[in-house]
Amino acid sequence: MEWLQLHLLAAPDRADACADALNAAGALSVTYMDAEDEPIYEPGLDETPLWTATRVTGLFAAGTDPDQVQAQLAAHFAPSPLPEVTVEHLPEQDWIRAWMADFHAMRFGDRLWICPTNQEPPAPDQVNIRLDPGLAFGTGTHPTTALCLRWLDSYSLGGRDVIDFGCGSGVLAIGAALLGARQVRAVDIDAQAIAATIDNATRNQVAERVVAGLPDTLDPEQPAEVVLANILAATLVQLRAVITPLVRPEGMLILSGILSEQADSVMAAYESDFTFGPVAHEGEWVRLDGRRRG
Ligand code: SAH
């Protein structure tokens, strides 16, 4: 079976009109994509920014005649000309399997691995987080997760208390527990992330040491020796007053989800309480390692 996709190349003020036209022609779904390489990272709350050139794509059921759809689109736009159209035939795939086939064991630092559950760990004697791609963020393929995992691998976590603020799949919390942390509190505002963390902690046999919940379950009277927060720069700045008291004096605060050009503003928000070491880079992303002053 084959699906049909029609892509329309639109100027920003025409993107919605293209979406309307595709919907009117019977599209099952319509998506907007960047037609050039122009990322939009953190739109403000009320903004839906569009790129300077947007590719608006309609997905149509198998067997749809592309000529007929184009004729409908042309009629919709008349008397204006139809934007540039490209037609793509999309073979049916088992998407989950296609994704899994691409997901391999990966090593972070000296001994910490993420290994999919359907594969034998390449290094069974090392520390293996067993994890499959799921809906919650955090499979190790994102540079910010990798930066945090490498830090965990490098740090002596034995017997320490850890907080994973913005836990997603729970990957950092589970990594910390497998590396010997005494207790890990993992929090997220997304219920799906909390559920995924509990599930993944159970699969990795660390459920007894990983407690997952909403951020307000954290007690600032019980600070941790290590707090990891891989969220986004703007959120980290907003959360300064929440996160700071969760770090014990002399404890470590590991921040990521930050682009290189945002590093200074995040450090500035935290510098009254933390001394930062060298910035760790991966691609355009950074990790900040701060020690809370005593
Ligand atoms: N720790 C994982 C996931 C990072 S993704 C990793 O390193 O890969 C960031 C997570 O932060 C998401 O799951 C998101 O739901 C959560 N998040 C976003 N804003 C938050 C907030 N204000 N408080 C707590 N969690 C938040």
Side-chain angles (χ1 to χ4, degrees):
M1 190 167 89
E2 250 186 12
W3 300 80
L4 175 72
Q5 278 195 322
L6 262 82
H7 309 286
L8 298 183
L9 194 63
D13 59 335
R14 298 272 304 239
D16 286 339
C18 288
D20 290 345
L22 288 163
N23 278 320
L28 301 173
S29 76
V30 174
T31 45
Y32 292 70
M33 293 261 286
D34 183 5
E36 280 150 32
D37 190 16
E38 202 187 339
I40 295 174
Y41 290 106
E42 295 178 45
L45 270 184
D46 304 320
E47 295 170 36
T48 312
L50 289 174
W51 302 274
T52 42
T54 299
R55 202 162 67 136
V56 186
T57 299
L59 177 71
F60 293 86
T64 308
D65 176 1
D67 293 337
Q68 204 176 345
V69 177
Q70 287 199 66
Q72 273 176 279
L73 293 173
H76 188 98
F77 279 102
S80 305
L82 183 62
E84 187 185 318
V85 183
T86 43
V87 175
E88 188 188 358
H89 294 276
L90 213 59
E92 171 79 353
Q93 278 207 43
D94 180 341
W95 291 109
I96 293 183
R97 192 168 303 164
W99 193 12
M100 289 292 287
D102 262 0
F103 190 54
H104 298 295
M106 288 170 284
R107 189 171 72 170
F108 303 90
D110 288 337
R111 66 204 153 131
L112 183 59
W113 291 77
I114 292 182
C115 182
T117 56
N118 66 346
Q119 290 174 27
E120 284 303 311
D125 298 341
Q126 297 195 328
V127 181
N128 285 282
I129 306 172
R130 307 305 301 262
L131 199 70
D132 292 324
L135 290 177
F137 185 101
T139 57
T141 52
H142 196 272
T144 60
T145 311
L147 283 163
C148 293
L149 288 168
R150 265 185 236 124
W151 185 86
L152 286 173
D153 176 77
S154 73
Y155 198 73
S156 169
L157 283 166
R160 296 189 196 274
D161 275 340
V162 175
I163 291 175
D164 176 3
F165 205 106
C167 56
S169 65
V171 56
L172 303 180
I174 293 161
L178 291 172
L179 287 164
R182 190 180 73 84
Q183 196 215 29
V184 188
R185 284 168 280 166
V187 299
D188 205 290
I189 48 171
D190 178 357
Q192 212 153 38
I194 297 170
T197 297
I198 294 170
D199 216 39
N200 287 326
T202 305
R203 182 164 309 143
N204 284 275
Q205 288 154 6
V206 291
E208 279 171 20
R209 283 181 293 130
V210 175
V211 185
L214 290 166
D216 64 10
T217 59
L218 291 172
D219 179 1
E221 300 289 315
Q222 294 190 316
E225 284 148 316
V226 172
V227 176
L228 299 132
N230 176 17
I231 311 186
L232 280 172
T235 313
L236 292 172
V237 170
Q238 277 165 14
L239 287 171
R240 187 196 68 84
V242 176
I243 289 180
T244 298
L246 296 172
V247 188
R248 190 168 292 182
E250 302 296 336
M252 293 300 296
L253 174 63
I254 306 306
L255 300 175
S256 196
I258 304 162
L259 293 163
S260 302
E261 63 265 26
Q262 299 169 327
D264 286 344
S265 65
V266 178
M267 277 193 278
Y270 283 87
E271 76 188 349
S272 56
D273 297 286
F274 294 89
T275 307
F276 286 94
V279 176
H281 290 265
E282 174 149 343
E284 56 195 335
W285 298 94
V286 298
R287 185 193 74 222
L288 307 177
D289 308 339
R291 182 178 291 281
R292 185 158 185 199
R293 287 193 281 278

